[in-house]
Amino acid sequence: MAETVVGGGRPMRDILANPLVWTAISGAAIGYAVMSFIMTATPLSMTEMAGHDFDDAKRVIQLHIMAMYLPSLVSGWLIRVVGIPLMMTIGLLAYLGCILLAAAGISFHHYLWALILLGVGWNFLFVGGTTLLPQGYRDSERFRVQGLNDIMVFSAQATAALSAGAVLTALGWASLLMVAVPLLVLHALLMAAWLLRRQPAGAGGRSSPR
């Protein structure tokens, strides 16, 4: 006898068997967590460890926030032109560039350009993930899947932000940056699994993203 679900749609375990869903959730959740983790630690690292003044740290964070949201002016166009997989890959590369640059030095410009790359990477991963997710469920499943996504995204973000100060104090700036690497590798592996198993049509009759 088929399992019935209140509100219609498939059981959650069947929905979560689709690698597309995990790629979308991990893109948003890991993207948000890594961004919050590094951004929260940056002012402390700049002022308490690298000797920069508060105004320098404030300027870096201001430009980082601009880098987070300005790409949204063209992100819809980018999705149509290059597709979600490439957009999320660019986001991962921006995060990698952020980590390498931040680990290379502690000058003002090291922090500045690293945080700009962090903002761009967050935008591409978060927008890519939230755009991809609806292609992994049917209309009757929307509230359950979006609810799970929101729980995972904002739990990851809160955990990262709350732990950043303790990790920075215990391990230092360079080691804190390396903590983010396994999360990015995890998302890359989930995305690879999705692309390898991708079919011409997604769930509910939707076309797969480019």
Side-chain angles (χ1 to χ4, degrees), residues 5-10 137-144 206:
V5 178
V6 176
R10 297 163 294 168
Y137 59 75
R138 300 167 182 160
D139 289 341
S140 58
E141 301 159 351
R142 178 173 67 253
F143 297 114
R144 288 184 291 135
R206 296 181 175 91

Side-chain angles (χ1 to χ4, degrees), residues 27-28 31-32 35 64-76 78-79 87-88 90-91 94-95 116-131:
Y32 226 132
M35 186 278 295
H64 161 69
I65 293 172
M66 289 178 61
M68 286 174 62
Y69 294 106
L70 281 178
S72 294
L73 297 174
V74 297
S75 56
L78 277 175
I79 288 173
M87 185 173 177
M88 295 181 80
I90 295 171
Y95 270 8
I116 287 174
L117 286 172
L118 184 70
V120 173
W122 172 83
N123 185 280
F124 281 20
L125 281 179
F126 187 75
V127 171
T130 53
T131 303

Side-chain angles (χ1 to χ4, degrees), residues 7-30:
R10 297 163 294 168
M12 186 61 79
R13 66 171 177 271
D14 293 344
I15 299 170
L16 296 180
N18 184 354
L20 180 151
V21 173
W22 285 112
T23 299
I25 292 176
S26 70
I30 290 175

Side-chain angles (χ1 to χ4, degrees), residues 39-201:
M39 181 191 72
T40 302
T42 294
L44 294 173
S45 175
M46 289 186 70
T47 57
E48 301 299 323
M49 297 181 174
H52 296 284
D53 59 35
F54 179 78
D55 286 341
D56 284 343
K58 181 175 69 174
R59 189 154 51 248
V60 166
I61 296 301
Q62 287 172 338
L63 291 172
H64 161 69
I65 293 172
M66 289 178 61
M68 286 174 62
Y69 294 106
L70 281 178
S72 294
L73 297 174
V74 297
S75 56
W77 173 79
L78 277 175
I79 288 173
R80 292 192 301 270
V81 172
V82 305
I84 293 174
L86 182 55
M87 185 173 177
M88 295 181 80
T89 299
I90 295 171
L92 283 174
L93 291 175
Y95 270 8
L96 178 61
C98 162
I99 291 170
L100 293 175
L101 188 58
I106 56 173
S107 72
F108 172 78
H109 287 96
H110 280 96
Y111 284 106
L112 173 63
W113 290 108
L115 268 287
I116 287 174
L117 286 172
L118 184 70
V120 173
W122 172 83
N123 185 280
F124 281 20
L125 281 179
F126 187 75
V127 171
T130 53
T131 303
L132 178 63
L133 185 60
Q135 300 190 37
Y137 59 75
R138 300 167 182 160
D139 289 341
S140 58
E141 301 159 351
R142 178 173 67 253
F143 297 114
R144 288 184 291 135
V145 179
Q146 289 287 355
L148 174 65
N149 177 74
D150 289 351
I151 289 171
M152 295 186 71
V153 168
F154 294 109
S155 295
Q157 184 269 335
T159 301
L162 290 171
S163 63
V167 173
L168 179 65
T169 301
L171 302 179
W173 176 242
S175 295
L176 177 142
L177 295 168
M178 294 303 108
V179 170
V181 173
L183 296 175
L184 300 179
V185 171
L186 173 61
H187 175 63
L189 292 174
L190 290 169
M191 189 162 66
W194 162 52
L195 293 174
L196 287 172
R197 294 180 55 185
R198 187 167 52 166
Q199 298 177 353

